[in-house]
Amino acid sequence: MATLTRNLFRGQGERDHRLEVVEGHWPTDVEGAVYVVGPDKRAPEGHWFAEAGLIEKIRLVPDQRSRIAVQHRIIDTPLQRIKRRLGFLFRRIAFMEVSPFGVTNLANTNVQAIEGRMFVGYDAGRPIEIDPETLRFVTPVGSNGEWLQAAPGVFEPLCAVAAHPASDVDERALWFVNYTQIAPPGVPKETWIGRWGLDGPVRRWRVEGMSEFDSIHDIKATEHHLVFSDLPFVVEPEMLQGKPRSRRIQEHTSLWIVAKADLHRTPPGGTVRAMEVRLPMPTGHLYPDHAEVDGRLRVALQHAPLGDLMMTLTHDQVDHRNQRPIDQDYEGMVALALQPSVVGRYEIDLATGEVHDAEVAVDAERVWGGILPATDTTSAAARSRQRQLWYGSAGFDPDLIPEEWWRLYGDATDGVVAPVDLPDVAVPGTLARFDLESMKVAEVWSYADGAFPSPPTFVPRVGAEDPDDGYVVVVVHQDGDKEIQVFDALHIEAGPLARATAPGFNPGLLLHSCWMADRVGPRPSTYRVSHAADVAGALRGLPGVFAGFFRMGRAIAEQERAARRG
């Protein structure tokens, strides 16, 4: 019988809470708020990622009665407002929502702050800006006509933009990766890098020199370069027809590095070349040092061996060990918690792409099922060199191995633990600190009874002068009322400094998070994209979208004819 908590996807939507500190003492040297974004799932059905975005704001300074205020607001985009009026026009296909207006930007994956502004990312839509004080929708970034479009829509065509843009504090800009999500086998996906200076138009450059990849989710900026990687998120055309998966994820990471100087000297619309570096094991997220010492890139990777983000637990699946139907309460959870949590650290020569140093940190006894990590990026010194990484993990449950996963990965040899050697007993969820200097799992705090923390968020101590001096805030998912817990960032094994909860506090399992200091004054920009500009841009993109469909259909037909002849 599965031991992981079943209290995953029964969220409460737009509901506010005042949490009481039930154990310990809430730190007094904190400010601002933690923001968490994720799908507004209120029932365990469909894919975890397939609901509209919900933003959670955890105010770190207690109110006059020493309570912690937590707000939840739906990210109310214009298309969400249209859906409330014309819901009969919207249909769910696999993990996407489509309508005559286009492919819904669910705005549910990443939240990121820069210069007093807040942006939400989604891998199948443009980034959008929300107000960090009111949590209301402000504007998309760039009109539809400023992005590569992959599927038609009169208001919201599919613009696949990696959910994690690169915040470039030096240049006061955001960098993006914009690409086509589906291409015929053997054909590289069209990929562009975009730059937006927090105002004005989005500028784009086409990228060449990239081999095939599954998806792209994350891009980061260093002192002189941009670095981005692929993600184990396989989108097969057959899936949209309800057919089973036939292709497993890649066994490696493709890491691409582009010099900022090449982008700055190339006119927008031109082409730049990426240097590709291949590393073992797929990757979820990357954490590079901003400083480039001796011409090298030092980067930490959240590896995801044998993790398949497109494969979800469903009510009609059986678990591999018992051949019994998987409990419906788990429906929507992705096949991620099936290996130990792994972090890799690499030093790469920026001139040649040669990997000079490669180390992996893993604790195969205690830390399994990594979901999301966090690092300190709140100061220039912390960004310059990433020293610590905090990792929230769900553990391992031998009764939650879907038979569909076993069909694709049961004989895999590229995991940390071979599928045939997976544990027979459950491994509890954990919060762990990975030391990126020694490449050791330095500390582990374990949870009981199927509970686990996600996501972790680093919060700097007020007045801190050193990197990693602060706290880690987590939402603990468990049976019954959920909790917010605060840890001393460098003393995780001492346990939480404070636990806060309230009757009925039950947010759903969300995704990424960030910390932001309270903004002083109004929004520091008047930037907005008009509806008219959006519609005009969508219409201008239609010929290119249909031409792409024609090329893909022709390529697939030619491949099928070649297969029949062979």
Side-chain angles (χ1 to χ4, degrees):
M1 181 178 178
T3 58
L4 181 70
T5 178
R6 291 169 172 77
N7 190 14
L8 299 172
F9 302 124
R10 298 193 181 277
Q12 301 165 312
E14 291 190 317
R15 183 171 174 181
D16 296 344
H17 300 267
R18 298 280 177 168
L19 309 187
E20 302 282 352
V21 177
V22 296
E23 183 177 273
H25 300 281
W26 196 268
T28 58
D29 52 353
V30 289
E31 62 181 4
V34 166
Y35 298 81
V36 189
V37 73
D40 182 22
K41 285 189 71 66
R42 307 185 195 185
E45 59 183 3
H47 196 289
W48 177 12
F49 307 156
E51 297 291 344
L54 183 79
I55 189 77
E56 176 179 69
K57 181 177 182 178
I58 304 167
R59 295 184 181 272
L60 296 174
V61 178
D63 66 15
Q64 293 180 342
R65 295 173 57 184
S66 300
R67 300 174 303 178
I68 307 303
V70 182
Q71 298 171 272
H72 295 92
R73 294 290 182 271
I74 293 170
I75 299 176
D76 204 20
T77 64
L79 201 59
Q80 291 296 335
R81 295 195 286 271
I82 292 173
K83 182 182 176 182
R84 285 201 295 273
R85 293 173 175 267
L86 302 171
F88 63 92
L89 294 175
F90 290 74
R91 293 289 182 271
R92 183 63 52 80
I93 299 177
F95 57 93
M96 297 190 301
E97 183 179 81
V98 299
S99 71
F101 306 101
V103 180
T104 303
N105 181 347
L106 295 175
N108 68 12
T109 307
N110 179 52
V111 60
Q112 203 159 315
I114 182 171
E115 296 202 356
R117 297 166 69 182
M118 182 159 285
F119 300 91
V120 173
Y122 174 63
D123 289 302
R126 295 170 291 168
I128 66 165
E129 183 176 356
I130 64 172
D131 188 294
E133 299 301 320
T134 66
L135 306 183
R136 291 175 180 164
F137 171 87
V138 175
T139 181
V141 173
S143 69
N144 286 315
E146 295 172 50
W147 298 99
L148 172 69
Q149 300 173 24
V154 296
F155 190 72
E156 207 163 79
L158 173 59
C159 301
V161 182
H164 294 262
S167 293
D168 195 329
V169 177
D170 296 340
E171 297 193 11
R172 303 182 64 224
L174 292 174
W175 297 92
F176 308 95
V177 180
N178 178 204
Y179 68 102
T180 55
Q181 289 182 314
I182 300 176
V187 178
K189 296 173 181 174
E190 184 178 347
T191 304
W192 296 71
I193 284 177
R195 184 187 184 278
W196 182 59
L198 306 184
D199 203 347
V202 175
R203 308 293 188 186
R204 291 190 294 124
W205 295 262
R206 189 159 184 167
V207 184
E208 64 179 12
M210 299 173 63
S211 60
E212 287 188 76
F213 58 88
D214 292 338
S215 301
I216 297 174
H217 178 64
D218 194 4
I219 178 173
K220 293 293 196 300
T222 67
E223 189 175 3
H224 301 298
H225 292 80
L226 302 175
V227 54
F228 54 103
S229 69
D230 53 2
L231 178 79
F233 194 91
V234 177
V235 180
E236 295 176 286
E238 296 80 7
M239 292 169 54
L240 304 181
Q241 304 169 16
K243 296 180 181 179
R245 284 276 300 282
S246 61
R247 182 168 67 87
R248 55 154 290 170
I249 62 169
Q250 294 178 168
E251 298 180 4
H252 61 272
T253 289
S254 290
L255 198 72
W256 296 285
I257 302 168
V258 176
K260 291 183 190 177
D262 290 346
L263 293 158
H264 290 316
R265 72 168 62 100
T266 304
T271 299
V272 295
R273 188 164 190 85
M275 179 170 63
E276 182 170 303
V277 180
R278 182 164 291 194
L279 301 170
M281 291 186 286
T283 289
H285 302 91
L286 54 154
Y287 305 89
D289 293 350
H290 183 263
E292 299 173 3
V293 180
D294 297 329
R296 293 184 181 183
L297 168 71
R298 178 179 178 271
V299 59
L301 303 182
Q302 174 211 7
H303 284 304
L306 307 186
D308 196 318
L309 299 178
M310 269 305 298
M311 191 174 290
T312 60
L313 304 181
T314 62
H315 66 277
D316 57 354
Q317 285 189 30
V318 296
D319 75 87
H320 174 72
R321 182 164 79 160
N322 304 303
Q323 294 295 300
R324 296 174 182 169
I326 290 175
D327 192 307
Q328 189 172 355
D329 283 336
Y330 296 115
E331 183 167 354
M333 191 63 177
V334 297
L336 187 64
L338 297 166
Q339 286 283 290
S341 306
V342 185
V343 174
R345 189 197 67 197
Y346 305 90
E347 288 191 13
I348 301 167
D349 189 306
L350 288 164
T352 66
E354 181 182 355
V355 179
H356 288 278
D357 182 56
E359 292 193 59
V360 170
V362 61
D363 186 334
E365 297 295 323
R366 298 185 295 171
V367 185
W368 281 67
I371 300 180
L372 293 172
T375 64
D376 178 10
T377 57
T378 60
S379 68
R383 291 189 293 272
S384 178
R385 186 176 179 88
Q386 298 279 267
R387 297 165 174 85
Q388 308 293 331
L389 179 145
W390 296 271
Y391 208 158
S393 299
F396 172 77
D397 195 320
D399 293 330
L400 290 179
I401 304 173
E403 185 64 33
E404 182 187 11
W405 179 88
W406 195 270
R407 177 177 57 83
L408 284 182
Y409 299 97
D411 59 355
T413 60
D414 55 303
V416 175
V417 176
V420 294
D421 296 326
L422 290 173
D424 293 326
V425 296
V427 179
T430 56
L431 176 65
R433 177 170 66 86
F434 284 65
D435 188 320
L436 299 180
E437 302 286 13
S438 66
M439 284 308 290
K440 303 292 184 185
V441 179
E443 297 184 282
V444 178
W445 178 259
S446 297
Y447 288 83
D449 303 320
F452 66 94
S454 186
T457 310
F458 178 82
V459 175
R461 195 185 310 271
V462 173
E465 296 181 356
D466 298 323
D468 308 314
D469 182 7
Y471 304 94
V472 174
V473 176
V474 298
V475 179
V476 178
H477 302 274
Q478 59 190 12
D479 296 339
D481 298 327
K482 298 187 179 184
E483 296 182 2
I484 293 174
Q485 296 183 355
V486 183
F487 291 78
D488 185 312
L490 296 178
H491 297 90
I492 298 297
E493 284 188 346
L497 299 173
R499 297 171 46 232
T501 188
F505 180 58
N506 198 56
L509 179 60
L510 302 179
L511 287 167
H512 288 282
S513 61
C514 72
W515 169 82
M516 179 177 169
D518 292 330
R519 188 173 71 196
V520 178
R523 175 178 177 244
S525 174
T526 59
Y527 175 87
R528 276 183 170 80
V529 173
S530 71
H531 296 331
D534 256 356
V535 172
L539 294 177
R540 286 198 304 271
L542 286 176
V545 170
F546 288 123
F549 282 174
F550 176 77
R551 289 193 298 270
M552 181 182 297
R554 184 172 59 186
I556 292 174
E558 289 175 353
Q559 289 177 351
E560 290 177 346
R561 285 195 294 269
R564 287 195 296 269
R565 288 194 299 268

